[in-house]
Each structure stands twice: as C-alpha cells, then as structure tokens.
Amino acid sequence: NIEELEKRFQEKIDADIRIEPKDWMPDAYRKTLIRQISQHAHSEIVGMLPEGNWITRAPNLRRKAVLLAKVQDEAGHGLYLYSAAETLGADREETIDDLHSGKAKYSSIFNYPTLTWADMGTIGWLVDGAAIMNQVPLCRCSYGPYARAMVRVCKEESFHQRQGFEIVTKLAQGTPEQKAMAQDSLNRFWWPALMMFGPSDADSQHSEQSMKWKIKRNSNDELRQMFVDVTVPQAELVGLTIPDPDLKWNEEKGSYDFGEINWDEFWQVVSGNGICNKERVEARRKAKENGSWVREAANAYAAKKAQRKAS
Ligand code: FAQ
C-alpha cells in the first residue's frame, strides 16, 4: 500500500540512503526532480550563450582557449543533466521542446546581456561562484544520479570561478579604463547574481518539501548569505566596490547584512520579460532547427544499417 511505501521511502531518505533510478519513489518526488534537473540542464545550455558571445573577441589566444574550454564544459554539464533527468523517465525531446516553447524555466541570470570583455571575468567570478555555492550541497542530494553528476560539475565550476576571478583581478589592476570596466560589470551583475539563489525562503514554494526529501540541503536565503559572505572580501581584495549601500558587516551574526533584492525585477525576468529572454530562447530554437539535417542523416544511417543486418 502507498502509505507504507511512502513511509519506507522517507525512512530511507532520513537514513541518508541514496535513491536510485529503479527504486520506488513518490510521483511528486520524481516530478520535482525532473523539474529541477531539467531546468538546471537548460540553464547550462542557455548559459553558453552570454559567454559564447565573446569567444571571437577574446583579447588574446590564451584567453580565447580558456573561454572556449569553459563554454564547452557548460555543454557537458547540460548533457549530464539531461541524462540524469532521463533516468527518471523524462523524454529528452519533450524536455527540450518545453524550453523552446517557454514552458520550462532556466536561470534568470542568463537573460542579462554581456556588454564588455569584463563580463567574462564577472560571470566566472560571480555566476560560477554562485553556481558552486548552490551545487556543492547538491552533491549530497538524495537522488543518486543527480548527486554524482554534481561532483564533476562542481570541480569544473571551480576552475571556471578561478578563471573569471583572474580576469577581474587583471582588469582591476590594469589601467583606469580597465578598472572602470570591471567595476561597471560588477555593478550590472551583482544583483542578478544574488537572484540566482531564487526567491526568499518565505516565497519559495518548493523549498520545504525539497528539503524534507533532501533534494535541497540548504534554503535559498542560507546559500545567498554564504555567497555574499565569501564574495565581499574577494571584491575588497581587488579593490572593487559592491554596488550596495546597505552592505555592512554584522559582528553579532558574524556575516554581512545586505540590501533588499528587487523582487519585481526577478519575477519579471523569470516570467520571460528580461532583457534577453526572447533572444536566448530563439537562439536555442534556431540551433535545433539548424541541426535537424544531422539528426535526419543519423536516423537514416541507423535505419539502413538495421535493414542490412536484417537481410
Ligand atoms: N531563475 O520554490 P523555489 C549554471 C523558479 S547555475 C529562474 O525556490 P526551487 C552554471 C523555480 O524554478 C544556474 N527561475 O524553487 C553556469 C520555481 O519555478 P517552477 C542553474 C527560478 O526549485 C554558470 C519558482 O521560481 N542552477 O547554470 C530561479 O526549490 C555559468 C519558485 O522557486 C540550478 O538550476 C532563478 N534564479 O529552488 C552555466 C541549480 N529561482 O519550477 C553557464 C539547481 C527560482 O515552480 C555559465 N536548482 N526559480 O516553475 C536549484 O537549486 C533550485 O531549483 C533553485 C530554485 C535554488 C534554483
């Protein structure tokens, strides 16, 4: 009976026993994971676009090689994650169609434009930095395939964060124009980076259940606070200013107080009205369309081979 199964399932979760694809799981657990993992996969894939924008304009060969490798890593992350979603019965074609139709979400951060080379530094530093903060706890997610995928993803994100911070450091120590470019980039990306962690705990509809299932190990606000606390000293180290007049060390709580996020902007971007939402989804839709001849050829070849084998 279902109640008994659910009880045993929760006992497994409470005992930190991993759930594997063929194990029994409540439908809602499966659905939550498919939602989160597929949105995560879409974020990795759409996330290639803002940085892909600068590959041909990287300032030198070394920067270009590093950026190219970084963007390719994101493609890899997307592919592991689509595979992890498939272990739960998600159909990859449908999953991707949901992104293209606007039904499925992806991270709000990728709807902001990359206007200068400094944005390549800031994205690595802040966006990959925020991604690590959110994904390290996911290495202990109760669902085995997702947790295992996160281990490698986090190692790669940590290289990405370093390469970004190195770009920012070089610019901040460069000419006054270069430093101003880095500061302008930080001004534009700081608040959107904080929004990556999702709505405040009071407004996060899924957090409570996801934490009970140990899909999420920390709340949105907890992770956001941890990110602020590690990032502020990094900005100070390179002499850049966080664009928040309310940012202040709070001795008593041993962490920073910071200003209010513009939640109206957050929900606008999440619901498709950010600066680049239309352009991002259109780029993905076109990529699928342009690649259709490859899929057709591969299918025709597979059919021919199967026919030959049969005869
Ligand atoms: N953007 O109840 P909650 C990367 C949605 S890292 C858009 O709190 P939940 C690496 C949320 O889906 C970025 N939508 O939801 C990289 C839900 O809507 P739904 C990706 C957001 O799931 C770096 C609704 O709001 N990382 O790509 C956002 O418990 C550089 C209510 O929210 C992940 O996806 C947002 N920021 O917590 C790549 C990590 N926040 O589904 C390239 C895995 C919330 O009901 C370059 N995901 N929403 O329609 C998670 O940890 C969680 O899903 C959260 C949201 C924390 C994002």
Side-chain angles (χ1 to χ4, degrees):
N1 94 12
I2 194 107
E3 269 156 35
E4 187 55 32
L5 284 167
E6 277 179 4
K7 191 169 152 265
R8 253 188 281 150
F9 176 81
Q10 190 62 46
E11 280 165 5
K12 253 170 101 175
I13 300 267
D14 294 342
D16 278 330
I17 297 170
R18 283 263 163 85
I19 308 301
E20 295 299 336
K22 289 182 177 164
D23 296 346
W24 186 88
M25 62 185 84
D27 278 348
Y29 176 84
R30 186 185 300 277
K31 258 177 86 179
T32 293
L33 276 169
I34 291 177
R35 177 185 63 78
Q36 177 168 328
I37 297 172
S38 64
Q39 289 182 167
H40 192 167
H42 299 328
S43 303
E44 302 282 355
I45 298 296
V46 175
M48 296 165 77
L49 296 168
E51 287 169 291
N53 180 34
W54 279 91
I55 290 172
T56 57
R57 293 176 288 164
N60 58 48
L61 183 62
R62 176 175 167 260
R63 293 293 184 203
K64 184 167 176 159
V66 172
L67 184 61
L68 200 56
K70 195 256 189 215
V71 173
Q72 284 177 336
D73 285 350
E74 308 299 356
H77 300 173
L79 297 181
Y80 309 145
L81 288 164
Y82 283 127
S83 298
E86 281 178 318
T87 65
L88 291 153
D91 179 87
R92 188 177 299 210
E93 193 81 11
E94 276 174 27
T95 305
I96 290 172
D97 287 344
D98 285 347
L99 170 69
H100 297 175
S101 72
K103 193 172 144 198
K105 294 190 170 76
Y106 57 89
S107 182
S108 50
I109 190 74
F110 303 117
N111 295 305
Y112 292 84
T114 43
L115 304 178
T116 66
W117 170 254
D119 292 352
M120 299 305 98
T122 310
I123 289 183
W125 175 31
L126 300 184
V127 177
D128 286 273
I132 297 169
M133 198 54 88
N134 161 272
Q135 286 168 190
V136 165
L138 292 176
C139 297
R140 293 187 301 119
C141 167
S142 57
Y143 187 58
Y146 191 30
R148 288 188 289 272
M150 280 304 111
V151 175
R152 177 167 176 179
V153 168
C154 285
K155 286 195 175 138
E156 293 180 350
E157 302 289 28
S158 117
F159 150 66
H160 299 165
Q161 195 273 351
R162 290 297 186 94
Q163 68 88 37
F165 191 59
E166 203 239 282
I167 293 175
V168 171
T169 305
K170 271 275 188 299
L171 289 174
Q173 295 168 344
T175 63
E177 289 83 358
Q178 286 171 322
K179 185 169 183 187
M181 199 197 278
Q183 182 62 55
D184 168 68
S185 180
L186 175 59
N187 293 348
R188 284 181 289 109
F189 277 97
W190 175 254
W191 292 103
L194 296 192
M195 292 175 196
M196 287 175 70
F197 295 95
S200 69
D201 293 352
D203 293 323
S204 166
Q205 66 200 94
H206 303 296
S207 276
E208 194 187 338
Q209 184 54 263
S210 287
M211 285 177 68
K212 208 167 143 209
W213 278 329
K214 296 187 182 170
I215 292 172
K216 282 167 91 161
R217 294 281 187 158
N218 301 87
S219 77
N220 298 357
D221 286 334
E222 268 168 35
L223 294 171
R224 192 170 8 247
Q225 182 71 57
M226 284 159 73
F227 175 74
V228 170
D229 291 344
V230 304
T231 311
V232 173
Q234 294 169 350
E236 280 169 2
L237 189 70
V238 294
L240 296 177
T241 309
I242 304 274
D244 178 357
D246 297 323
L247 186 73
K248 217 173 102 214
W249 177 253
N250 182 327
E251 191 63 47
E252 209 173 294
K253 67 171 185 174
S255 64
Y256 285 91
D257 289 332
F258 55 95
E260 177 74 4
I261 287 172
N262 181 344
W263 293 113
D264 181 51
E265 174 181 326
F266 171 75
W267 290 115
Q268 282 294 332
V269 176
V270 169
S271 57
N273 302 317
I275 306 173
C276 299
N277 293 60
K278 291 198 176 63
E279 180 186 330
R280 300 295 186 229
V281 173
E282 186 55 21
R284 291 312 314 155
R285 227 185 35 74
K286 267 215 186 101
K288 186 177 178 192
E289 215 171 273
N290 290 341
S292 66
W293 68 274
V294 178
R295 290 188 298 278
E296 272 166 38
N299 281 337
Y301 178 71
K304 209 159 93 182
K305 232 172 127 186
Q307 201 179 27
R308 248 191 237 140
K309 212 170 162 191
S311 63

